[in-house]
Every structure is written in structure tokens, then in C-alpha cells.
Amino acid sequence: MSRNYGGGRYGDRGERSELADRVVRVNRVAKVVKGGRKFSFSALIVVGDMNGRVGAGIGKAREVTEAIRKGMEVAKRSMITVPMVGTTIPHAVEYKWGAARIMLKPAAPGTGVISGGAMRAVIETAGIKDILTKSHGTNNPINTVRATLAALQQLKTAQQVADLRGKDLEQMVGKRLAAAYGATPRGAEAVAPAGPAGGADAGGR
């Protein structure tokens, strides 16, 4: 039997105070033994700082609370940094993980998080405020979460692409967009505005 939980919560002790965690799924597993059945639980947890860092983990234990705790520890150790342009992502990306196929697109400010299920948990805890998403194939939350995290790792800002190519931001996107991005010398961090215009050029196209 599996249970899907909505909503998030902030930890209230020690290191949890800075992170938001979301219980995506709790699954009960029964093992038949000589004396009867033994029950254990697995929990899929997503943890993020609401400011560009997010991770996910699976914990297994005899008790639900212990499974959640283990999942949180795994998620904290596997956190990634998500490149962001204002309140959205720099460009569109599609990714396939097993039977899960997902698509992420940047959105204009005020759009909100157009997503659902396991993808929404990852996006919200990462701190992304405006995004369009679509999930095809499996509805397995584990594969969906892994695919979403992998897709977020594929993202690059225009400044990062310029640095990889050994060029200035102005050479990559032109004077007008470079000024909008807040062009800085190569290697320095650029602050880019949110919106579809930035998303189209961030991938170097």
C-alpha cells in the first residue's frame, strides 16, 4: 500500500531549520516469513533551501518516522544547485529517465508553478516560482523525481555558456540582451532577468 502526501513542512530542529522538506511518497512493504508477515516502509523525500538547491532521497525502515529521517539524510547529501534566471529557469529542457519523459519550460513572472505530483515537490523546494512542466510515460514518483533532478542539472545560464565557449556575454546574445542580463567581465556572475526572452538565448541558440 502506498500513500502520497501533499504539502511541505519546515524542520524545527538544528540543521533542518534552513531546509524545506516534502514527503512525496510512503510505501509499505510486507515480507512473508515463517512467523507471519513483517512490515517495513520506504519513504521518498525531497529537500531544498527554496533558493536554488534541492535533493531527493529514499529511506527504508521498520517505522515511518525513521524511514522519513533516513530519506532526509540521503537527500541532504545529494543536493544539487539549480541555475535560475530571476524566478524561472534559463531555458527549456527535455529529459528521459527510464519510462519517465519530462519537459520543463521557463515562464514569465506571475505564471506560477504549472506542475503536479512529484515534479511539483522538486520544483517548489528548489525555489522556482514560475515554470511550465509536462510529464509523459510512467507515473512512478521515484523515476519522475530522478528525471526532474537530472533535467535541472542540464540547465546552464547564458553567462555559463559564454564562459565555456571562452566568449563575452555580449558576443553570445548581443548588446541589447547583454545589457538586460547585466553584462560583467568574463568569469563574473551575471544577473539575468526572468522571462521567455532570456530562456531562448540561454542555451546558446
Side-chain angles (χ1 to χ4, degrees), residues 9-29:
R9 57 190 175 88
Y10 288 89
D12 54 358
R13 298 194 303 273
E15 72 277 4
R16 297 185 183 181
S17 59
E18 298 179 359
L19 298 174
D21 59 89
R22 182 75 61 87
V23 181
V24 179
R25 181 184 183 185
V26 175
N27 187 46
R28 189 180 72 175
V29 180

Side-chain angles (χ1 to χ4, degrees), residues 18-176:
E18 298 179 359
L19 298 174
D21 59 89
R22 182 75 61 87
V23 181
V24 179
R25 181 184 183 185
V26 175
N27 187 46
R28 189 180 72 175
V29 180
K31 179 181 179 181
V32 179
V33 295
K34 186 176 180 180
R37 282 191 290 181
K38 289 185 178 180
F39 294 99
S40 61
F41 298 89
S42 65
L44 174 61
I45 312 296
V46 175
V47 172
D49 65 356
M50 308 296 288
N51 193 32
R53 285 184 58 78
V54 65
I58 298 175
K60 299 178 181 180
R62 287 290 187 85
E63 301 292 335
V64 175
T65 54
E66 183 65 12
I68 292 174
R69 186 192 66 79
K70 288 183 178 181
M72 287 183 62
E73 294 301 320
V74 174
K76 289 175 186 176
R77 293 196 300 266
S78 61
M79 292 182 74
I80 64 170
T81 300
V82 181
M84 293 176 61
V85 180
T87 59
T88 189
I89 57 177
H91 57 87
V93 62
E94 294 185 11
Y95 200 86
K96 184 176 186 298
W97 182 291
R101 292 181 294 113
I102 65 166
M103 178 271 295
L104 307 175
K105 280 187 177 181
T111 303
V113 177
I114 309 302
S115 180
M119 288 180 68
R120 189 180 189 92
V122 176
I123 290 166
E124 288 184 340
T125 52
I128 301 171
K129 301 291 192 301
D130 303 296
I131 191 171
L132 304 172
T133 72
K134 189 69 177 177
S135 176
H136 302 278
T138 182
N139 58 359
N140 184 326
I142 296 176
N143 281 351
T144 302
V145 166
R146 287 175 175 171
T148 305
L149 289 171
L152 292 174
Q153 284 185 295
Q154 304 298 311
L155 297 172
K156 288 182 175 64
T157 63
Q159 184 66 54
Q160 289 172 329
V161 174
D163 292 340
L164 287 172
R165 298 185 181 183
K167 296 183 179 181
D168 292 325
L169 185 61
E170 185 175 309
Q171 294 177 284
M172 294 287 300
V173 299
K175 291 183 179 180
R176 183 178 62 84

